Amino acid sequence: MSNAITVNQLQVSYYGKTAVKNVSFHIEQGNLIGVIGPNGAGKSTLMKAILNLIPIDKGEISFDGKTIKEVRKKIAYVPQRNNIDWDFPIIVRDTVMLGTYPNLGVFHRPGKKEKQWAMECLKQVGMESFSKAQIGELSGGQQQRVFLARALAQKADYFFLDEPFVGIDISSEQTIIKILKQLKDEGKTVFVVHHDLSKVEEYFDELILINQELIESGPVESVFKPELMKQAYQTPFPILNDVGVGV
Amino acid sequence: MEFISDLMTYGFLQKALFTSIMVGIICGVIGCFIVLRGMALMGDAISHAVLPGVAISYMLGINYFYGAVLAGILTALGIGVVSQSSRIKSDSSIGIVFSAFFALGIILIAKAQSATDLTQILFGNVLAVKSSDMWMTLIIGAIVLLVVAVFYKELLISSFDPTMSAAYGLPIRLIHYGLMLLLTMVTVASLQTVGVILVVSLLITPASTAYLLTNRLSIMIILASTFGAISAVVGLYFSFIYNLSSGAVIVLVTTAIFIVTFIFAPNQGILWRFIRSSKNKTAA
């Protein structure tokens, strides 16, 4: 079995306005994939479309030849931090335990086994000492690590993370990237919507560069090139210099 | 306690007591999900919107439960249609749909000329609870509690992280409408006790009070239903002794508990927040 993802001729629109069009790519398993592009390029939209969270106009998406419905429970999703209600009455350990829900049947409740597994996942991200804290008491980086632990708890084959590194501290970022690299070494497919171009070469194996349309996809070396980046960001603006792409 | 001996003596008082306790409990339970999902306005809307259903049931001579549930469901669907298929935001959609239902209800009730007058439906009269009302409330309550217990896991995750829930295949829209159905049933059960106007208070205030006291949903639910039940019983007491409107008294009791908690809650209360922040200031 493999965890490849194939997207063919994907088009998505919001209120009649095309947000993503003509996007096709194929990714083999065991890769850490970065989705990059300027603000409003449709990065999150692309991810949501792949996950079937929003309706698509046309196109096909397959996971190792299967439809999303067949692999759903094997997909772990880490939402953008600002989409979460941090005041929700839930403690860290129970948040991680939510990751076990997809694989529990409807009438099954999480028990001791799930609790222990949640604690193990927390240990992997170095957050076990915060297990009883309410999630809003944590720093941004700690919150992101907890949500990664939740994804680990799901024992998924595919991992989708939406802007996981926004507004978090360096050490959390390092912990997260280390775990993502471990996951891909285990043959998982890890898909990351990413904003900051400075670490792209260090973090990812493959890139999907979009600005509504697909600009290029493939290995980092062949995508992360000045002329392609310029085409995507369409700009003589300082953004390119800022992020140090103009090598 | 004269009230206790009266309770032993009068059947109508016992019925009122059982009904009040059940109403307080289920309002607390469902209220937690309403509060956490930011749907307080929706709670208010559904409770008002059952009115035409009640009126039509009287006209047809059937139990008002059926009409009320139907009206509640139509309202939830109507609000969904208006907000999802246009640019109108959800709070405005709620306002448009429920006020229309409520207005229709007022006219229909007047036409229905039933024995039960509008005031009683609007404001409740717990002392007038009949045996059939009590049993209906107890059965609705049992169903609501059972459904929440069975689907607790799904209600929790879809309230906290709807995106992840949808990603792994939970039917979140179905869960939403399921919750609206439960909300409608709770409203129907509460008609006699607090009335449609004030049900929202029994839904929101005990749950919000509990929210200030704990970081766990399970405990929040237990606290909210306890506060709800206490408020309902105290409301019944005052309503019986001083001949006051039961709905209004119940609401004022929930508010009193809320105010005390709002000030003195160990972590979230404003008193401790004030003490902490002034400590920090002197420390700095």
Side-chain angles (χ1 to χ4, degrees), chain B residues 23-42:
Chain B
V23 165
I25 290 172
I26 56 179
C27 281
V29 173
I30 294 299
C32 288
F33 294 103
I34 302 295
V35 164
L36 292 173
R37 286 169 173 246
M39 285 175 23
L41 188 55
M42 193 73 172

Side-chain angles (χ1 to χ4, degrees), chain A residues 82-145:
Chain A
N82 54 16
N83 290 347
I84 294 294
D85 173 10
W86 297 104
D87 288 327
F88 199 91
I90 192 166
I91 59 170
V92 166
R93 184 198 64 207
D94 293 351
T95 308
V96 176
M97 217 146 68
L98 298 178
T100 66
Y101 284 16
N103 296 312
L104 286 172
V106 174
F107 300 107
H108 291 84
R109 283 163 175 268
K112 224 181 199 163
K113 207 176 89 200
E114 282 73 23
K115 240 176 224 176
Q116 279 170 358
W117 174 234
M119 286 306 291
E120 261 173 62
C121 295
L122 267 179
K123 243 177 233 160
Q124 288 188 50
V125 299
M127 288 292 296
E128 71 275 23
S129 53
F130 294 88
S131 69
K132 293 275 164 66
Q134 194 268 338
I135 51 168
E137 295 164 11
L138 308 177
S139 75
Q142 292 171 331
Q143 290 171 342
Q144 202 69 53
R145 281 193 271 162

Side-chain angles (χ1 to χ4, degrees), chain A residues 53 72 77 79 84-85 87-91 98 101-102 104-109 132 134-135 137 147 150, chain B residues 36 86 148-154 156-157 159-161 163-164 166-169 211 214-217 220:
Chain A
L53 294 173
R72 241 179 180 145
Y77 175 75
I84 294 294
D85 173 10
D87 288 327
F88 199 91
I90 192 166
I91 59 170
L98 298 178
Y101 284 16
L104 286 172
V106 174
F107 300 107
H108 291 84
R109 283 163 175 268
K132 293 275 164 66
Q134 194 268 338
I135 51 168
E137 295 164 11
F147 273 75
R150 185 181 77 170
Chain B
L36 292 173
S86 75
V148 171
V150 170
F151 296 105
Y152 178 74
K153 179 165 118 281
E154 285 71 22
L156 164 63
I157 195 166
S159 302
F160 176 57
D161 191 348
T163 319
M164 176 198 171
Y168 87 81
Y211 185 42
T214 176
N215 285 328
R216 291 186 197 214
L217 178 59
M220 179 175 165

Side-chain angles (χ1 to χ4, degrees), chain B residues 71-282:
Chain B
I73 296 298
L74 285 176
T75 308
L77 289 172
I79 291 167
V81 168
V82 174
S83 64
Q84 275 154 27
S85 50
S86 75
R87 68 197 291 183
I88 296 169
K89 292 195 175 56
S90 118
D91 57 342
S92 300
S93 315
I94 292 172
I96 292 167
V97 176
F98 100 77
S99 44
F101 270 77
F102 191 56
L104 183 66
I106 290 173
I107 289 174
L108 289 177
I109 286 274
K111 290 279 166 210
Q113 292 178 334
S114 67
T116 324
D117 66 330
L118 185 61
T119 329
Q120 209 164 99
I121 297 171
L122 293 184
F123 301 108
N125 180 3
V126 70
L127 297 175
V129 168
K130 297 193 290 280
S131 276
S132 59
D133 296 327
M134 178 186 79
W135 285 113
M136 189 176 72
T137 300
L138 295 181
I139 291 167
I140 291 177
I143 294 172
V144 169
L145 294 176
L146 186 70
V147 171
V148 171
V150 170
F151 296 105
Y152 178 74
K153 179 165 118 281
E154 285 71 22
L155 284 167
L156 164 63
I157 195 166
S158 64
S159 302
F160 176 57
D161 191 348
T163 319
M164 176 198 171
S165 310
Y168 87 81
L170 268 195
I172 52 172
R173 194 166 289 178
L174 186 69
I175 294 174
H176 169 82
Y177 285 116
L179 193 58
M180 291 302 99
L181 178 61
L182 292 180
L183 177 59
T184 310
M185 290 168 64
V186 168
T187 304
V188 174
S190 315
L191 274 184
Q192 290 275 331
T193 323
V194 281
V196 297
I197 304 266
L198 295 174
V199 172
V200 67
S201 166
L202 203 46
L203 285 165
I204 306 302
T205 313
S208 301
T209 309
Y211 185 42
L212 293 176
L213 290 169
T214 176
N215 285 328
R216 291 186 197 214
L217 178 59
S218 49
I219 297 172
M220 179 175 165
I221 290 175
I222 293 167
L223 288 175
S225 44
T226 310
F227 294 145
I230 291 173
S231 307
V233 173
V234 175
L236 170 65
Y237 173 79
F238 279 100
S239 159
F240 177 66
I241 302 287
Y242 300 105
N243 193 24
L244 298 168
S245 156
S246 59
V249 179
I250 290 171
V251 169
L252 290 178
V253 178
T254 65
T255 313
I257 300 176
F258 175 77
I259 290 172
V260 170
T261 310
F262 185 71
I263 296 171
F264 296 106
N267 275 309
Q268 304 292 333
I270 51 170
L271 183 64
W272 304 121
R273 286 190 162 206
F274 175 75
I275 291 171
R276 264 202 311 271
S277 75
S278 46
K279 249 188 203 158
N280 288 346
K281 269 178 207 151
T282 46

